[in-house]
Each structure stands twice: as C-alpha cells, then as structure tokens.
Amino acid sequence: MADLEVYKNLSPEKVERCMSVMQSGTQMIKLKRGAKGLVRLFYLDEHRTRLRWRPSRKSEKAKILIDSIYKVTEGRQSEIFHRQAEGNFDPSCCFTIYHGNHMESLDLITSNPEEARTWITGLKYLMAGISDEDSLAKRQRTHDQWLKQTFEEADKNGDGLLNIEEIHQLMHKLNVNLPRRKVRQMFQEADTDENQGTLTFEEFCVFYKMMSLRRDLYLLLLSYSDKKDHLTVEELAQFLKVEQKMNNVTTDYCLDIIRKFEVSEENKAKNVLGIEGFTSFMRSPACDVFNPLHHEVFQDMEQPLCNYYIASSHNTYLTGDQLLSQSRADMYARVLQEGCRCVEVDCWDGPDGEPVVHHGYTLTSKILFRDVVETINKHAFVKNEFPVILSIENHCSVQQQRKIAQYLKAIFRDKLDLSSVDTGDSKQLPSPQSLRGKILVKGKKLPYHLGDDAEEGDVSDEDSADEIEDECKFRLHCNNGTTEHQVESFIRKKLESLLKESQIRDKEDPDSFTVRALLKATHEGLNAHLTQHPDVKESGKKSHGRSLMTNFGKYKSKSGTDDEEDAQQPPSKEPSPLSRLGRRRKTMKLCRELSDLVVYTNSVAAQDIMDDGSTGNVLSFSETRAHQVVQQKAEQFMVYNQKQLTRVYPSAYRIDSSNFNPLPYWSTGCQLVALNYQSEGRMMQLNRAKFKTNGNCGYVLKPQQMCKGTFNPFSGDPLPANPKKQLVLKVISGQQLPKPPDSMFGDRGEIIDPFVEVEIIGLPVDCCKDQTRVVDDNGFNPMWEETLTFTVHMPEIALVRFLVWDHDPIGRDFVGQRTVTFSSLVPGYRHVYLEGLTEASIFVHITINDICGKWSPLILNPSYTILHFLGATKSRQLQGLKGLFHKNPRLAASDSNPHSMRKRSLGDRILRRTASAPAKGRKKSKTGFQEMVEIKDSVCEPAREPDGVLRRTARSLQARPVSMPVGRTLLGAWPPAPAVTEAAEGKESPPVQF
C-alpha cells in the first residue's frame, strides 16, 4: 500500500470533487471475458463504502466493497484488456479494479480520460484512508456502516424514514423475537420529532440502542459497581484486574477508556463509565478473544529457520482450480501481504526465449516470469521484513534457466546477497532475524563433485505432477483448426459434468480413486475428442459426452476399494502410489548461474529423507508421500525437522485446489506446509489462525519439545512429564447471529435456533469438541450460560475453533466460525467475532488453569469413564491411529474400507446417533487423529458431523468459578436453562487416510 501514501494528502477540494462525481454516477463500459462490453452506470453509495452499478439482473450482487478492493491499475494492464485489439480503446480511458480473495477484475472504460482519472484518484483515496486504520477505528467504522446499510435496506419505499411495519420486518430479518407490544413501546420512545409515526436515521440509532441493551453486560456492570448504573475509575480498575487478568492497570489507563468509549458528556465529566460506554468497551478490540499483544511480533526471532513454522503457499499464481483457472502475478502480492513467506513459482519455457509461469500439463493461463519477480520484489517486505522463500519448480531448458537467473539477480539485487548473514554455527541454519530483507531461492543445486568450473550438470527432477500418470497430463498443441478457447470450453463443460456424476464422497482423501478416475477420464476423453473431432462441431456433443462418461466408468471405483481389488487391476491401468514413487528417478540439466543462487534452501529428493546430509537441505514432497512418512517414522521425521526444512504440498490430484489438513504435518515439526491460498475453507481457516499470532509475520516458533529431543505425537500421553492446560470456557450469549446463507428454512422466515460448538484441534489426544444446548427462536441475543471444559497436552500447537450452528428439524446449518490459537486466548470476559460477519459474535468467559502431575485419561476426559462401562476400551478409541504405526501403509489403508463388516459392540449401539440430533442437549466428542482429516474443506461447514467420533452422554453442569459474578446474578434474575437431555450419541466409522 506504499503507493497509496500520496493519496492521503490530497486537498479537501479535490477529494470532494472526486466524491461528488463518483456519487452522481458515470456511464462506463464493463468488459467481460468472451463477451461484448456492457454499458452500465457506476456510482459510489452515499456512505462511500461500496461501488455499485445498474442495471443488473442481480442488483444485490452488483456491488464491490471498498474494503475488498486490493488495487486499482491504470491503462490496459489486465488480461481481459490484453485480449482486446490494440486500437480498440484509448488506454487513458481504461482502468481495472482488482477485488476479493480471488483477485477478480472489474475492467472499465470511460468516455474520456478525465473521468478515468477522477475515478482512479477517488478510489485510491478511499483505499488509503482504510489502509492505516487501527483496529478500534476500523471496528467503529464497520459498525457505523452496518447501521446505515441496515437502515437503508429496511427503508422499502426509500423515503428516508421507517414506519412501524418496516421496523417489524427488520426485526424479523435480524432474528429478533420480541412481542409486538414491546417493539411498539420502544418505537414510541425513540420517535421524538414532530413527524410522529416514523423514525429518522438518528431516531433509529436510539431505537437500536434500546433494542440492543445487553442484560448480561448490564448485570456484570452492576456486580462491580455496587448496584449503580456506572463504574467509577476504581471499580473499572478492579474489574480489569480481577476478571480480565490485566497487570499494571493505572488510573490514567482507566481514564483513557472512559474518554474513548463513554458517550455521555455528563459521565465523562464525572469520570465514570455508564452502560453504553461499558458495552462499547467490551465489544471493542481491547476485549476481543485474541491477545492484542500478539498483533505484534513477540516471539524470539533469533533461532534457526528450522525452529519455525513458515506460512507457505502452493501454486501461488493460480486464482482457482488446477486445470483451467487464470494465472496472475498479482496473486503473489496478495498472499505476501497476507503474511505468506514461501511462494511457489512453476517455470516453463516460453516463446521468444522468455520463461513463463503456469501449471504444467493443464490449460491454466501463462504469465511472464519477469512479471512475477517484479511483483514479488515490490510486495515482499511491505508488511514485514522477515525473509521470503522463493520455491522454484524448474522445467526450463538451460538457455531459459540462464534468463531466470538474470532476472532474479537484476530485479532482486542485494536481496539475494547472503554473504553477510551470520549463522553463528556453520552446522545450523540462519535465523529469520539475520535474514531480514532477504529472499532465499529454493531449488536444485549442482553436486559438489562437479567442481566450480562446470557450467551445467545433471540433477534429479522431482516434478510435483509426477504422481499423475503420464496419460493424464495435457500435452496439447491446438492443431487442425482447433483453438485453445474451444478446448477450454469443452473441458470445462465435461469437467463440471464429471464432478456431478462422480459424487466424490471425501475430497480430503488424497488417494481417492474417484478423484484419480475423474482426472484420468477428463484428460482421456478430451484427447479422444480432439483426435476424432478437431473442429469441435456442435452436432457431436452427445456422442462425445457418452464417450467421455464411458471412460470415466472404466476407471471409476469406490474410494474404499480394498487391496484385493487393487491387486486385480493391471499395473498399467492403476499404479499404486508406492509403485509411482519407486519409478526410476528422472534427471534434468541445471545451469551454474541458477544453482549458485541457492544457498540455504537446496531441494533434495524424498529418498534421502532420513540422511543427515549437509545444512541447508529442503525436503519437498507431496502429501501422499508425506503421509506415508508420518505413518511409518513419525519420531524420526521430527528429529529430521530439527535440523532441516521440510515442505509438504497438496496432491496433484486435488484438481479443484482443495487443501489437506495441515495439523498432522505441523505435529511432526514440518515447517513449510503449503496450502492453496486461493481456496477458502476449513483448512485455510486453520492456517490463517495459526499464523495470525506473532504479528502475522509468517514465522511462528515451534514448541521447544519439537526443537530438541523427541516424542510420539500420536500416543495417548505424548508428554507425560509436562504440565497440561485446562480450558474452562463459559459460553454466555450470542449477538446478532444471522440466518445461514443456504438455510432451507431461513427463506421462509423462521428465526434461527442457534447453538455453539467449541472444537480443540491439535495433537490427536487433544482433539475433541463440545457444544451448548439449543436456544429456540433467537438469533439476536440468545443466552446459553453453559460451561465447557477441555484439557490440552500441548497448547503451543492447539487451535480453538468456535462454531455457531442453526438447529433445524433435519440437521443443522452453518452460521459462522472463528479459530484462534490456544496460546493467543486471553482470560476473562471476551467477545468472539465470527469471521467475515460484521456484527455477529458470541460472548464468553475464559479461564486457563495448569494441571500438574500424572493424570490418568479417566480424570482428564470423563468420556473415558462412560465408554469404559459401555465396553469401549482405550484400544478401540485409538483404532483410528493404528495405520500410523503399520509397517505396510497399503495394509493399513485396507482397514479403512467402509464396506468391511464389523461387529458392533453394545456401547456402539447405545452411542449411535443421527445427523439431526444435536437436539436440545449437548455432547462432547473425543476425536482421534484420523477424524481431524476427514472433515470436508468447504466455504461452509458440512451439514453433518464427521464419523468416527466418540460421544459422551449428558453430564452435570460444572460450577462456575467464583471470579465470574454474572453467574450468581443471572441465577437469580433469569429462569433456569432447560434440562439437558440424555442423548447418548456417537457413531463408529473406520479411519480415513489423509
């Protein structure tokens, strides 16, 4: 955002002139891929928060949030502009807006250069104002914007006023279930002007404050104010020390809180904090569940690189799937500014001697290597100066390798010079601190035995696509009149058809035969189609579709196919992962210039995993191979990762750019666990939470136990001598929880019935979840007042995931989530804001206790006691871990056959449940290692719970700690919660391989 600095100091007159033009609206041409331009009226809304246009068939979607704009470029720079003929448009009238997670482009053409300049200046001014906001200012701004937009959407006739009927409709939309009499009473109290019967925006704000009065916060204030309606400075200090566990609370600090958050001038003059100010303070970033100190770098950054988890991206240049999506250099800028410190560049020979970047053997678009390097150079150190690792996958000829080396040296200059880096010990890697501002090139290095005078030499070639059979790779040259656009159109339609037809059950399984068959059928069907019908005539579509589906049926098998069935397949048809890994190692020519740029990050072959080697090796392999290593040699793998770096990347069969579960690899000390940053979902949420701590600098220190010594991360008690942590979490209430976006019942107007699920994700022994009861018909301010307790063996790598669900008669719908590292949790009363939702939050109280001494599993996890009496032994519970220690991974995989017959125990029959039964009770689940992996990675949480979960039956409510005064007050003020039903729940399922 450095280029935005100049726009912050624009004169007020120029700013207002730009804003006036933008809010009045400008007719522009909107370019679309493969279609003619559309003339639309583009305008900035009155609150200056959204860019909108009309006419549009989807008026609600015809908008772009200013917050979501990544950058604005002048001229014909985008790919869509490049597809247009050179003389079609005046470049001075063209500009592009990049926005959203996938860097979508909005390409616009004005009628004259002055209009384009006005819009570019105005948009960049708005972006500059947002770029340096502190968290409190941003929180206030988003709240104000939300109130204004809520008012406008409720104003159906557009007269700037809300009548009582519009208020009733708004209440329903906000999930508020209040008696109409109460709503009318508040409406009349807020309606104070001459125009009776309607509310202006200012009156609506008063009405909203009355409606939003938090009884939980009000009673909390009363408990510390000696039943007054305000807190004095001394009382506020006492609250912060006792409840929020804050140290060094001074009088000046408390006065500053009153000055910032109190809305009443009278209260400010008296130096007291009233209920509105107290509510604003409690909902501010100061009382967020995430430790505000962790927004800055706080960990020791002087240790060797191998002691850190490093945020890593896979196929960084792609905006979507692995077959057809666009490649964009701007994706590097986005992920680097998100905190990613290791990016991938796939280099191939391009035309005119210019190397290009794209995903090999596919139809993804190509971008120039030079553009990628320039983008990385510009954005690598905007957010922080810790080193960036450039993971180069080299497929180029020696001539173009030399061009790659020339660009790296010419553009990065002294950023590549590592001669002055002090490692302190020649046998260990340098630290992130010593490498500040440096770029490390990860790639192949010429063998030492060749000597310094060798200009080139042979090195092993580990292509990330090697696990895909050769017949599945696109090697197309569009001959016989067939254009690339025709090929792309055909493959896109057939791929979508196959995805629907295959009904892939679990895309988290990297060895899924269904996924492999899908990819193989797609490629073979396309190749056959092009051979027989090079002109892609419309008349042949049906027969070609049958041919492609026949190919798919030929290879389709169920994801649970056992070894006997595999053995019957001819080797050429379906080689196993082990046979693929056992192929003769390929070699390639590497030039000296590129080899010399690799210093501390030399890519080595997977076969040398347990060889000590020299300092500076990076093992890089697919999740398929990494999974086998984790299964067979977890402790040895951890020892290896104490000296060297390991990079694990998604299987090449993840053609939809889905992500694997990173936890198994973090648990064995892998530093570079590369994910597809362009794919939102559960796994990226875990990754984002992992690296948000330590200032989101992309480097997080591994637990000390992983840096020295060793332990078995998959045992029942991995660290018996270490103290454990107990998390006592009271889920108190929820605020403004919206209807689920895809709810079957939400469209009919039902108010949601929310409940909260809390999940601990870490070492297998720590993985469990618990949930509250369901609150009927209240999404605006549901009250749960329930305590959940968890024990964590290794809190340094544990994540705490808060999920809100809407219970309905046929299951549950996902509302929202927030994931936080255990080490970043702050004790006391905290708000957990749901990710991506403006106002939605849950209010909790957090207590963290130390548990010392040797504790048995029966004490740590009460579910063991119940399962023991039901006949479920510890060995049965850990059945999902069996494959991790099996000598033959294929035999271990056979245990996961979902069709194998298994005799159900009495306990299993008792614990059996259906997906629609969170009921009005709560449950706790203890998950094994494999259950962590089988949860689907999608933008919304799945509507069913994963199998293989051991549930515990109803338990008595736990006593609230004495330091939580609201509990005592609420017990007398509100009716007791409904009794917990005894829903003995659970369902056994075989482990799923990750």
Side-chain angles (χ1 to χ4, degrees):
M1 294 291 179
D3 59 332
L4 296 178
E5 291 295 324
V6 295
Y7 290 91
K8 294 180 182 177
N9 302 317
L10 293 176
S11 66
E13 296 80 13
K14 186 169 186 177
V15 169
E16 286 309 312
R17 186 163 61 251
C18 289
M19 296 299 112
S20 175
V21 170
M22 293 166 70
Q23 288 180 320
S24 298
T26 304
Q27 275 203 334
M28 293 186 259
I29 298 173
K30 174 186 174 185
L31 283 187
K32 294 186 69 176
R33 189 186 310 276
K36 293 182 179 179
L38 305 173
V39 178
R40 297 289 183 264
L41 178 69
F42 289 83
Y43 61 96
L44 184 69
D45 73 350
E46 66 171 300
H47 309 303
R48 302 180 179 179
T49 61
R50 304 182 186 200
L51 170 64
R52 309 202 66 152
W53 58 90
R54 62 174 185 261
S56 173
R57 288 179 296 177
K58 300 178 180 178
S59 58
E60 273 306 305
K61 293 187 177 181
K63 61 190 175 188
I64 295 175
L65 291 173
I66 300 298
D67 278 6
S68 73
I69 297 178
Y70 169 71
K71 75 172 183 176
V72 179
T73 61
E74 307 176 40
R76 297 163 39 90
Q77 295 190 39
S78 75
E79 181 187 354
I80 291 180
F81 272 124
H82 287 164
R83 291 190 176 192
Q84 302 291 324
E86 189 65 35
N88 277 7
F89 307 108
D90 180 357
S92 63
C93 296
C94 303
F95 66 99
T96 301
I97 300 171
Y98 292 96
H99 62 98
N101 289 335
H102 293 174
M103 295 287 289
E104 300 165 70
S105 66
L106 177 62
D107 301 275
L108 300 173
I109 305 161
T110 59
S111 57
N112 60 71
E114 182 61 31
E115 288 180 339
R117 170 53 44 195
T118 297
W119 274 87
I120 292 167
T121 301
L123 289 171
K124 289 191 173 183
Y125 170 80
L126 293 172
M127 293 166 62
I130 292 170
S131 64
D132 61 351
E133 278 185 330
D134 61 33
S135 55
L136 180 59
K138 184 174 183 179
R139 171 87 199 109
Q140 188 60 48
R141 178 175 59 82
T142 55
H143 174 73
D144 293 343
Q145 291 174 1
W146 181 85
L147 267 181
K148 290 174 181 177
Q149 287 157 10
T150 300
F151 178 84
E152 289 176 352
E153 291 171 5
D155 182 15
K156 301 299 183 183
N157 57 10
D159 62 357
L161 300 169
L162 297 184
N163 57 38
I164 188 64
E165 190 54 41
E166 289 172 327
I167 286 290
H168 282 307
Q169 293 176 14
L170 175 60
M171 301 287 276
H172 204 79
K173 181 179 178 182
L174 294 177
N175 286 301
V176 183
N177 189 16
L178 283 176
R180 295 176 76 90
R181 174 184 53 80
K182 180 68 174 175
V183 175
R184 183 170 292 278
Q185 178 186 341
M186 290 190 295
F187 184 94
Q188 291 170 349
E189 290 181 27
D191 187 9
T192 56
D193 64 1
E194 298 177 354
N195 191 7
Q196 291 292 301
T198 56
L199 300 182
T200 62
F201 175 69
E202 291 72 21
E203 290 173 331
F204 169 72
C205 291
V206 174
F207 171 85
Y208 181 78
K209 285 181 180 178
M210 288 191 288
M211 182 179 69
S212 305
L213 181 63
R214 296 269 301 276
R215 295 191 68 190
D216 51 354
L217 291 180
Y218 185 63
L219 293 172
L220 180 59
L221 180 144
L222 291 179
S223 68
Y224 272 88
S225 66
D226 195 21
K227 307 229 176 123
K228 303 187 301 293
D229 64 352
H230 61 263
L231 290 171
T232 64
V233 171
E234 294 76 16
E235 290 164 346
L236 176 58
Q238 181 71 0
F239 169 76
L240 296 177
K241 292 174 185 175
V242 174
E243 292 299 342
Q244 307 301 83
K245 307 300 180 188
M246 293 178 62
N247 300 319
N248 304 318
V249 178
T250 64
T251 299
D252 288 342
Y253 180 76
C254 295
L255 288 172
D256 189 52
I257 290 175
I258 294 172
R259 179 182 58 81
K260 284 182 180 178
F261 297 100
E262 181 52 53
V263 295
S264 166
E265 294 299 328
E266 182 181 352
N267 283 348
K268 283 184 180 179
K270 295 179 180 178
N271 288 332
V272 297
L273 191 66
I275 181 58
E276 286 190 36
F278 183 66
T279 300
S280 297
F281 170 65
M282 293 301 294
R283 287 182 63 83
S284 75
C287 293
D288 189 77
V289 70
F290 185 86
N291 190 336
L293 298 178
H294 291 189
H295 287 298
E296 305 295 331
V297 176
F298 70 94
Q299 294 180 343
D300 177 13
M301 303 303 287
E302 299 279 3
Q303 299 188 31
L305 281 178
C306 53
N307 286 6
Y308 297 86
Y309 297 114
I310 305 172
S312 305
S313 167
H314 174 248
N315 287 347
T316 312
Y317 47 89
L318 288 181
T319 59
D321 65 74
Q322 311 284 313
L323 284 181
L324 299 165
S325 67
Q326 299 301 309
S327 304
R328 285 186 182 154
D330 288 320
M331 290 300 290
Y332 289 91
R334 184 177 78 84
V335 302
L336 287 168
Q337 294 195 20
E338 281 185 16
C340 182
R341 295 286 90 184
C342 178
V343 295
E344 184 180 26
V345 187
D346 287 348
C347 304
W348 298 79
D349 282 348
D352 304 321
E354 288 291 330
V356 296
V357 174
H358 77 115
H359 194 35
Y361 316 118
T362 70
L363 294 175
T364 57
S365 62
K366 300 176 177 65
I367 51 178
L368 291 175
F369 175 80
R370 181 185 66 246
D371 292 344
V372 168
V373 177
E374 288 175 346
T375 302
I376 294 172
N377 184 57
K378 182 178 180 181
H379 296 275
F381 305 112
V382 171
K383 294 292 185 180
N384 74 78
E385 293 187 354
F386 291 109
V388 170
I389 300 173
L390 202 63
S391 180
I392 292 184
E393 190 168 299
N394 178 16
H395 305 276
C396 292
S397 61
V398 170
Q399 292 78 9
Q400 296 209 14
Q401 287 178 33
R402 293 194 176 100
K403 202 71 174 285
I404 288 174
Q406 291 169 14
Y407 282 133
L408 291 174
K409 288 185 283 189
I411 295 171
F412 289 148
R413 298 177 180 270
D414 60 345
K415 296 184 181 74
L416 292 178
D417 181 12
L418 306 180
S419 58
S420 61
V421 175
D422 180 19
T423 64
D425 181 354
S426 60
K427 293 185 178 181
Q428 75 176 22
L429 291 167
S431 68
Q433 183 67 31
S434 66
L435 290 168
R436 288 173 73 95
K438 298 297 183 181
I439 292 178
L440 305 180
V441 177
K442 175 183 140 345
K444 290 292 180 180
K445 199 165 181 64
L446 289 175
Y448 293 107
H449 64 77
L450 287 180
D452 295 338
D453 57 341
E455 290 299 317
E456 59 186 56
D458 289 333
V459 295
S460 61
D461 179 20
E462 290 87 36
D463 184 351
S464 66
D466 276 347
E467 63 183 317
I468 299 180
E469 292 84 351
D470 286 342
E471 62 267 29
C472 287
K473 297 177 181 178
F474 281 120
R475 289 189 176 89
L476 297 173
H477 303 281
C478 298
N479 299 325
N480 302 324
T482 306
T483 66
E484 184 175 345
H485 178 70
Q486 288 173 317
V487 173
E488 180 178 334
S489 176
F490 174 84
I491 188 66
R492 189 179 298 278
K493 291 177 182 177
K494 294 307 175 187
L495 182 60
E496 290 173 355
S497 172
L498 281 170
L499 283 169
K500 293 177 182 178
E501 181 74 17
S502 65
Q503 297 178 343
I504 299 173
R505 301 196 314 164
D506 190 359
K507 64 184 177 183
E508 287 309 318
D509 179 3
D511 198 30
S512 167
F513 295 102
T514 321
V515 176
R516 184 183 302 128
L518 168 63
L519 189 57
K520 181 174 290 188
T522 304
H523 287 71
E524 291 193 356
L526 176 64
N527 290 331
H529 172 82
L530 292 175
T531 301
Q532 299 170 15
H533 304 275
D535 54 349
V536 194
K537 293 181 179 178
E538 289 290 323
S539 60
K541 279 188 177 179
K542 290 185 180 179
S543 61
H544 304 155
R546 284 196 298 271
S547 171
L548 191 58
M549 295 310 296
T550 301
N551 280 326
F552 177 71
K554 177 180 177 183
Y555 290 104
K556 181 164 62 175
S557 61
K558 296 181 180 178
S559 60
T561 303
D562 60 26
D563 293 302
E564 292 183 5
E565 291 173 342
D566 281 344
Q568 296 171 4
Q569 294 283 349
S572 60
K573 292 283 185 182
E574 195 71 58
S576 70
L578 290 180
S579 66
R580 287 198 302 273
L581 292 167
R583 290 172 180 168
R584 178 179 295 179
R585 294 171 64 179
K586 297 188 299 182
T587 60
M588 63 172 292
K589 289 287 184 184
L590 177 67
C591 73
R592 170 66 62 183
E593 293 94 320
L594 191 54
S595 171
D596 286 347
L597 297 180
V598 178
V599 181
Y600 294 110
T601 45
N602 174 31
S603 293
V604 295
Q607 287 87 338
D608 304 325
I609 176 174
M610 296 308 168
D611 183 13
D612 287 339
S614 58
T615 301
N617 289 337
V618 182
L619 175 68
S620 184
F621 52 10
S622 164
E623 60 175 296
T624 309
R625 174 66 175 142
H627 171 52
Q628 295 170 5
V629 175
V630 167
Q631 279 187 318
Q632 300 170 42
K633 302 179 180 180
E635 294 183 60
Q636 293 162 274
F637 197 18
M638 188 180 297
V639 172
Y640 175 88
N641 289 327
Q642 292 172 3
K643 297 179 181 178
Q644 309 284 11
L645 298 177
T646 297
R647 180 175 181 267
V648 181
Y649 55 87
S651 166
Y653 285 106
R654 293 184 181 273
I655 56 177
D656 57 351
S657 290
S658 62
N659 283 311
F660 58 86
N661 185 2
L663 261 298
Y665 310 107
W666 288 336
S667 297
T668 49
C670 297
Q671 300 87 355
L672 300 159
V673 182
L675 298 183
N676 291 300
Y677 270 57
Q678 73 272 26
S679 297
E680 188 52 65
R682 175 185 171 90
M683 302 314 169
M684 265 308 295
Q685 289 161 1
L686 301 183
N687 190 76
R688 194 158 47 235
K690 177 80 171 178
F691 290 103
K692 185 175 182 182
T693 190
N694 202 32
N696 198 33
C697 72
Y699 287 84
V700 173
L701 203 56
K702 296 198 303 190
Q704 192 60 32
Q705 300 92 330
M706 289 189 180
C707 299
K708 291 182 180 179
T710 185
F711 65 93
N712 187 343
F714 310 125
S715 70
D717 192 4
L719 299 164
N722 288 31
K724 303 163 183 61
K725 294 287 186 182
Q726 182 190 54
L727 172 63
V728 182
L729 183 68
K730 179 142 192 176
V731 183
I732 301 170
S733 62
Q735 294 77 44
Q736 300 174 42
L737 305 176
K739 291 183 177 70
D742 302 318
S743 172
M744 181 182 297
F745 293 94
D747 294 338
R748 292 197 242 154
E750 280 82 355
I751 292 174
I752 68 171
D753 305 324
F755 67 95
V756 177
E757 182 177 71
V758 180
E759 182 179 6
I760 306 295
I761 306 167
L763 293 185
V765 70
D766 292 334
C767 292
C768 58
K769 60 178 71 172
D770 204 350
Q771 72 177 45
T772 67
R773 62 185 173 87
V774 175
V775 173
D776 289 327
D777 294 334
N778 191 343
F780 191 75
N781 55 356
M783 298 294 302
W784 290 288
E785 278 288 322
E786 295 194 49
T787 301
L788 315 177
T789 305
F790 305 92
T791 300
V792 181
H793 291 68
M794 182 173 273
E796 295 89 347
I797 67 166
L799 301 169
V800 183
R801 189 166 168 84
F802 301 87
L803 301 104
V804 179
W805 300 91
D806 172 24
H807 173 259
D808 65 45
I810 62 171
R812 61 183 187 176
D813 291 314
F814 174 71
V815 176
Q817 69 83 35
R818 172 85 176 274
T819 307
V820 182
T821 56
F822 188 100
S823 57
S824 293
L825 292 177
V826 194
Y829 287 97
R830 303 289 166 183
H831 279 92
V832 183
Y833 280 93
L834 303 184
E835 199 173 88
L837 300 175
T838 306
E839 294 290 300
S841 65
I842 54 178
F843 187 46
V844 300
H845 184 280
I846 294 172
T847 305
I848 298 175
N849 302 316
D850 288 327
I851 301 177
C852 298
K854 189 170 182 179
W855 293 72
S856 80
L858 294 178
I859 297 173
L860 292 177
N861 298 304
S863 58
Y864 267 85
T865 308
I866 296 167
L867 294 171
H868 175 75
F869 287 116
L870 292 175
T873 64
K874 183 176 180 179
S875 62
R876 179 181 295 277
Q877 187 203 22
L878 296 179
Q879 189 169 11
L881 306 182
K882 184 168 58 178
L884 294 173
F885 308 101
H886 208 296
K887 292 184 179 179
N888 187 337
R890 296 301 294 164
L891 293 177
S894 68
D895 292 337
S896 66
N897 182 6
H899 305 293
S900 61
M901 298 300 295
R902 178 174 292 143
K903 185 177 179 180
R904 295 188 176 274
S905 67
L906 171 64
D908 187 33
R909 291 196 295 271
I910 292 177
L911 293 176
R912 191 181 178 94
R913 65 181 294 274
T914 63
S916 61
K920 308 290 175 168
R922 55 188 176 186
K923 57 191 178 303
K924 183 160 184 172
S925 38
K926 184 69 191 171
T927 67
F929 178 73
Q930 299 295 340
E931 192 265 334
M932 297 157 46
V933 185
E934 66 181 330
I935 302 171
K936 289 190 177 180
D937 178 25
S938 57
V939 176
C940 292
E941 299 293 330
R944 65 177 182 83
E945 296 191 29
D947 295 331
V949 178
L950 296 175
R951 311 279 180 192
R952 82 177 186 185
T953 54
R955 54 184 168 82
S956 59
L957 290 176
Q958 302 191 11
R960 184 178 185 136
V962 177
S963 65
M964 299 168 68
V966 169
R968 297 195 299 271
T969 313
L970 294 180
L971 289 175
W974 287 327
V980 180
T981 59
E982 288 197 17
E985 302 161 345
K987 184 176 181 180
E988 183 177 86
S989 176
V992 176
Q993 302 294 321
F994 65 86

